[in-house]
Amino acid sequence: MLSSGGYLLRTAFAGALLVGGFAVVSCAGDSDKAGANANGKVTVVYEDNTIKPKDKQAVAVVRKSRVFEQAADWVNKSVALPHDLDVKVTGKVPPGVTDAVTQPDGRTIYVPPPFLTQIQGILSDVVKTVKRPALFPEAEFNADDLTALSTQFIFGHEMGHALQRQLLLPNLGLEEDAADGFASFYTVNEVGPGPSLAAAILFDELARDEGKLTLEGLSSDHPVTQQRVFNFLCYLEGSDPKRFYEPLVGAGYLPKTRAPLCPQAWAMLDYGWWTQLRPHFSEAFKDQGDKTQENARDHLIAEMKAFEKELDKLRRGQ
Ligand SMILES: [Zn+2]
């Protein structure tokens, strides 16, 4: 049953953003370190002597891109963490870990090198078999750049878990949705469209490999894979419909039925994360962060009003 390489790959990958979701054990009792006394730092370590030769190439691609360090820098600049967060690219992972995972206390993120090799392998096939979306730059439509960009998004997801767990953020939905949301929030605001697009391309391929929905997929604490593709695209489109409507909705990547909801969905996500993080801003970031949160609130109110105006028309068109 496990003879097919494709099955193994898919199984390993399907666990990717899943394992972290099981362990929602919070670190209650540590919240006394919140706020001004919090001086935890994010550090990224590549444990070279644990990385197997077959994984060195994919690790080198990600290392050169500095996507982990960029996210670490942003968190270090903006957020006062109660504890250090160690990001370890290492072959020495806890038993059973095959994918990027965040430990239950939010203080360690493991990135196993074979996981990066898997991503690169899948994307090597994608560039040969999938037509490049016009929105995605031709110069970056290669396995290495797609690997770095999609890893940036996936790492945003893990960073979302780490923040939720260290800061004991109150969730109103599933933690996995919030983690995907942070990946969109962070990359769309701080990087641009590349990571969302690359992640959509990667997850679309994974969904194709998974094939028919199974009970396991439907009962996961993650949205089903194809749904995540549309969520990534919806937030991106909603962040700037003037720029992204034509290339994403007009070109048929994001259905017209979903698109009208996306500007408000993005505004809610953006306001939500700025509001969640606000009590935890670093001293240095506080003024800028407070202003950004207030702007996000104004933007959400404007989007809600705009949506209300369109609603009758949208319902009539259904
Ligand atoms: Zn997760």
Short mmCIF file of all heavy atoms in Angstrom, two decimals, residues 234-264:
data_model
loop_
_atom_site.label_atom_id
_atom_site.label_comp_id
_atom_site.label_asym_id
_atom_site.label_seq_id
_atom_site.Cartn_x
_atom_site.Cartn_y
_atom_site.Cartn_z
N CYS A 234 -7.79 34.55 -2.02
CA CYS A 234 -8.82 35.50 -1.62
C CYS A 234 -8.22 36.63 -0.80
O CYS A 234 -8.49 37.81 -1.06
CB CYS A 234 -9.91 34.76 -0.83
SG CYS A 234 -11.27 35.81 -0.26
N TYR A 235 -7.40 36.30 0.18
CA TYR A 235 -6.79 37.36 0.99
C TYR A 235 -5.91 38.26 0.12
O TYR A 235 -5.91 39.48 0.28
CB TYR A 235 -5.95 36.76 2.12
CG TYR A 235 -6.78 36.25 3.28
CD1 TYR A 235 -6.48 35.03 3.89
CD2 TYR A 235 -7.84 37.00 3.79
CE1 TYR A 235 -7.23 34.57 4.97
CE2 TYR A 235 -8.59 36.55 4.87
CZ TYR A 235 -8.28 35.34 5.46
OH TYR A 235 -9.01 34.88 6.52
N LEU A 236 -5.16 37.64 -0.78
CA LEU A 236 -4.28 38.45 -1.64
C LEU A 236 -5.12 39.39 -2.51
O LEU A 236 -4.85 40.60 -2.57
CB LEU A 236 -3.42 37.53 -2.52
CG LEU A 236 -2.51 38.26 -3.50
CD1 LEU A 236 -1.48 39.13 -2.76
CD2 LEU A 236 -1.79 37.26 -4.41
N GLU A 237 -6.15 38.85 -3.14
CA GLU A 237 -7.00 39.67 -4.00
C GLU A 237 -7.64 40.79 -3.19
O GLU A 237 -7.66 41.95 -3.60
CB GLU A 237 -8.07 38.79 -4.65
CG GLU A 237 -8.77 39.43 -5.85
CD GLU A 237 -9.91 40.35 -5.48
OE1 GLU A 237 -10.46 40.22 -4.38
OE2 GLU A 237 -10.27 41.22 -6.30
N GLY A 238 -8.14 40.43 -2.01
CA GLY A 238 -8.84 41.41 -1.18
C GLY A 238 -7.93 42.51 -0.66
O GLY A 238 -8.40 43.60 -0.32
N SER A 239 -6.64 42.24 -0.60
CA SER A 239 -5.70 43.24 -0.09
C SER A 239 -5.54 44.40 -1.08
O SER A 239 -5.14 45.49 -0.68
CB SER A 239 -4.34 42.60 0.20
OG SER A 239 -3.66 42.30 -1.02
N ASP A 240 -5.83 44.16 -2.34
CA ASP A 240 -5.67 45.21 -3.35
C ASP A 240 -6.43 44.80 -4.63
O ASP A 240 -5.82 44.41 -5.63
CB ASP A 240 -4.18 45.42 -3.66
CG ASP A 240 -3.93 46.68 -4.49
OD1 ASP A 240 -4.92 47.28 -4.98
OD2 ASP A 240 -2.75 47.05 -4.64
N PRO A 241 -7.76 44.89 -4.57
CA PRO A 241 -8.57 44.41 -5.71
C PRO A 241 -8.25 45.12 -7.02
O PRO A 241 -8.31 44.50 -8.09
CB PRO A 241 -10.01 44.69 -5.28
CG PRO A 241 -9.96 44.90 -3.81
CD PRO A 241 -8.60 45.40 -3.48
N LYS A 242 -7.89 46.40 -6.93
CA LYS A 242 -7.56 47.13 -8.17
C LYS A 242 -6.41 46.44 -8.90
O LYS A 242 -6.39 46.37 -10.12
CB LYS A 242 -7.16 48.58 -7.84
CG LYS A 242 -8.36 49.47 -7.60
CD LYS A 242 -7.95 50.95 -7.70
CE LYS A 242 -9.09 51.84 -7.25
NZ LYS A 242 -9.24 51.85 -5.76
N ARG A 243 -5.46 45.97 -8.12
CA ARG A 243 -4.27 45.34 -8.71
C ARG A 243 -4.50 43.87 -9.06
O ARG A 243 -3.99 43.37 -10.06
CB ARG A 243 -3.11 45.47 -7.71
CG ARG A 243 -1.82 44.87 -8.16
CD ARG A 243 -0.72 45.11 -7.13
NE ARG A 243 0.48 44.38 -7.47
CZ ARG A 243 1.49 44.17 -6.62
NH1 ARG A 243 1.43 44.65 -5.39
NH2 ARG A 243 2.54 43.50 -7.00
N PHE A 244 -5.27 43.17 -8.20
CA PHE A 244 -5.31 41.71 -8.33
C PHE A 244 -6.59 41.13 -8.92
O PHE A 244 -6.65 39.94 -9.20
CB PHE A 244 -5.04 41.06 -6.96
CG PHE A 244 -3.66 41.34 -6.42
CD1 PHE A 244 -3.49 41.97 -5.19
CD2 PHE A 244 -2.53 41.00 -7.15
CE1 PHE A 244 -2.22 42.24 -4.69
CE2 PHE A 244 -1.25 41.26 -6.66
CZ PHE A 244 -1.10 41.88 -5.43
N TYR A 245 -7.63 41.97 -9.08
CA TYR A 245 -8.90 41.39 -9.57
C TYR A 245 -8.71 40.75 -10.94
O TYR A 245 -9.04 39.57 -11.13
CB TYR A 245 -10.01 42.45 -9.62
CG TYR A 245 -11.35 41.83 -9.99
CD1 TYR A 245 -12.22 41.34 -9.01
CD2 TYR A 245 -11.74 41.68 -11.33
CE1 TYR A 245 -13.42 40.73 -9.34
CE2 TYR A 245 -12.94 41.07 -11.67
CZ TYR A 245 -13.78 40.60 -10.67
OH TYR A 245 -14.97 40.00 -11.00
N GLU A 246 -8.19 41.50 -11.89
CA GLU A 246 -8.06 40.97 -13.25
C GLU A 246 -7.17 39.72 -13.30
O GLU A 246 -7.59 38.68 -13.80
CB GLU A 246 -7.57 42.05 -14.22
CG GLU A 246 -8.70 42.71 -15.01
CD GLU A 246 -9.78 41.73 -15.50
OE1 GLU A 246 -9.48 40.74 -16.21
OE2 GLU A 246 -10.96 41.97 -15.15
N PRO A 247 -5.94 39.80 -12.78
CA PRO A 247 -5.07 38.62 -12.91
C PRO A 247 -5.52 37.40 -12.08
O PRO A 247 -5.12 36.29 -12.40
CB PRO A 247 -3.70 39.11 -12.44
CG PRO A 247 -3.94 40.39 -11.74
CD PRO A 247 -5.21 40.98 -12.26
N LEU A 248 -6.31 37.61 -11.04
CA LEU A 248 -6.72 36.45 -10.24
C LEU A 248 -8.16 36.02 -10.55
O LEU A 248 -8.44 34.84 -10.74
CB LEU A 248 -6.59 36.75 -8.73
CG LEU A 248 -5.16 36.81 -8.20
CD1 LEU A 248 -5.15 37.12 -6.71
CD2 LEU A 248 -4.40 35.50 -8.46
N VAL A 249 -9.08 36.99 -10.59
CA VAL A 249 -10.49 36.65 -10.82
C VAL A 249 -10.78 36.63 -12.32
O VAL A 249 -11.31 35.65 -12.85
CB VAL A 249 -11.42 37.65 -10.09
CG1 VAL A 249 -12.88 37.18 -10.19
CG2 VAL A 249 -11.00 37.79 -8.62
N GLY A 250 -10.37 37.71 -13.00
CA GLY A 250 -10.56 37.77 -14.45
C GLY A 250 -9.92 36.58 -15.16
O GLY A 250 -10.49 36.01 -16.09
N ALA A 251 -8.74 36.18 -14.70
CA ALA A 251 -8.03 35.07 -15.35
C ALA A 251 -8.55 33.71 -14.89
O ALA A 251 -8.07 32.67 -15.37
CB ALA A 251 -6.53 35.18 -15.06
N GLY A 252 -9.49 33.69 -13.94
CA GLY A 252 -10.13 32.43 -13.58
C GLY A 252 -9.50 31.65 -12.44
O GLY A 252 -9.89 30.51 -12.18
N TYR A 253 -8.55 32.22 -11.73
CA TYR A 253 -7.94 31.48 -10.62
C TYR A 253 -8.79 31.54 -9.35
O TYR A 253 -8.81 30.60 -8.56
CB TYR A 253 -6.53 32.01 -10.33
CG TYR A 253 -5.57 31.72 -11.45
CD1 TYR A 253 -5.14 32.72 -12.31
CD2 TYR A 253 -5.10 30.42 -11.66
CE1 TYR A 253 -4.27 32.45 -13.35
CE2 TYR A 253 -4.24 30.13 -12.70
CZ TYR A 253 -3.83 31.16 -13.54
OH TYR A 253 -2.98 30.88 -14.58
N LEU A 254 -9.45 32.66 -9.15
CA LEU A 254 -10.33 32.81 -7.98
C LEU A 254 -11.76 33.03 -8.50
O LEU A 254 -12.01 33.98 -9.24
CB LEU A 254 -9.88 34.02 -7.14
CG LEU A 254 -10.68 34.32 -5.88
CD1 LEU A 254 -10.54 33.19 -4.86
CD2 LEU A 254 -10.20 35.64 -5.26
N PRO A 255 -12.69 32.13 -8.14
CA PRO A 255 -14.04 32.23 -8.70
C PRO A 255 -14.74 33.56 -8.40
O PRO A 255 -14.57 34.13 -7.33
CB PRO A 255 -14.78 31.06 -8.02
CG PRO A 255 -13.71 30.10 -7.66
CD PRO A 255 -12.51 30.94 -7.31
N LYS A 256 -15.54 33.99 -9.34
CA LYS A 256 -16.28 35.25 -9.21
C LYS A 256 -17.25 35.22 -8.04
O LYS A 256 -17.63 36.25 -7.50
CB LYS A 256 -17.07 35.52 -10.50
CG LYS A 256 -16.22 36.00 -11.65
CD LYS A 256 -17.09 36.66 -12.72
CE LYS A 256 -16.24 37.40 -13.76
NZ LYS A 256 -15.50 36.48 -14.65
N THR A 257 -17.69 34.03 -7.64
CA THR A 257 -18.61 33.91 -6.51
C THR A 257 -17.91 34.23 -5.19
O THR A 257 -18.53 34.71 -4.25
CB THR A 257 -19.16 32.48 -6.40
OG1 THR A 257 -18.07 31.56 -6.56
CG2 THR A 257 -20.20 32.22 -7.49
N ARG A 258 -16.62 33.96 -5.11
CA ARG A 258 -15.88 34.19 -3.86
C ARG A 258 -15.35 35.62 -3.80
O ARG A 258 -15.29 36.23 -2.72
CB ARG A 258 -14.71 33.18 -3.77
CG ARG A 258 -13.81 33.34 -2.56
CD ARG A 258 -14.49 32.86 -1.28
NE ARG A 258 -13.65 33.07 -0.11
CZ ARG A 258 -12.78 32.18 0.38
NH1 ARG A 258 -12.63 31.02 -0.20
NH2 ARG A 258 -12.09 32.46 1.46
N ALA A 259 -14.97 36.14 -4.94
CA ALA A 259 -14.21 37.40 -4.98
C ALA A 259 -14.87 38.57 -4.24
O ALA A 259 -14.17 39.33 -3.57
CB ALA A 259 -13.92 37.78 -6.44
N PRO A 260 -16.21 38.75 -4.33
CA PRO A 260 -16.79 39.93 -3.67
C PRO A 260 -16.61 39.93 -2.15
O PRO A 260 -16.71 40.97 -1.51
CB PRO A 260 -18.28 39.83 -4.02
CG PRO A 260 -18.35 38.93 -5.21
CD PRO A 260 -17.22 37.98 -5.08
N LEU A 261 -16.33 38.74 -1.59
CA LEU A 261 -16.16 38.66 -0.13
C LEU A 261 -14.73 38.98 0.30
O LEU A 261 -14.47 39.18 1.49
CB LEU A 261 -16.50 37.23 0.35
CG LEU A 261 -17.88 36.69 -0.05
CD1 LEU A 261 -17.99 35.22 0.31
CD2 LEU A 261 -18.98 37.50 0.66
N CYS A 262 -13.82 39.04 -0.66
CA CYS A 262 -12.40 39.05 -0.28
C CYS A 262 -11.89 40.38 0.27
O CYS A 262 -11.08 40.37 1.20
CB CYS A 262 -11.56 38.56 -1.45
SG CYS A 262 -11.96 36.83 -1.87
N PRO A 263 -12.32 41.53 -0.24
CA PRO A 263 -11.81 42.78 0.37
C PRO A 263 -12.18 42.90 1.85
O PRO A 263 -11.35 43.29 2.68
CB PRO A 263 -12.48 43.88 -0.47
CG PRO A 263 -12.72 43.22 -1.79
CD PRO A 263 -13.08 41.80 -1.46
N GLN A 264 -13.40 42.50 2.18
CA GLN A 264 -13.79 42.57 3.59
C GLN A 264 -13.08 41.49 4.41
O GLN A 264 -12.67 41.71 5.55
CB GLN A 264 -15.30 42.42 3.74
CG GLN A 264 -15.75 42.60 5.16
CD GLN A 264 -17.26 42.38 5.34
OE1 GLN A 264 -17.97 43.30 5.65
NE2 GLN A 264 -17.70 41.17 5.15
#
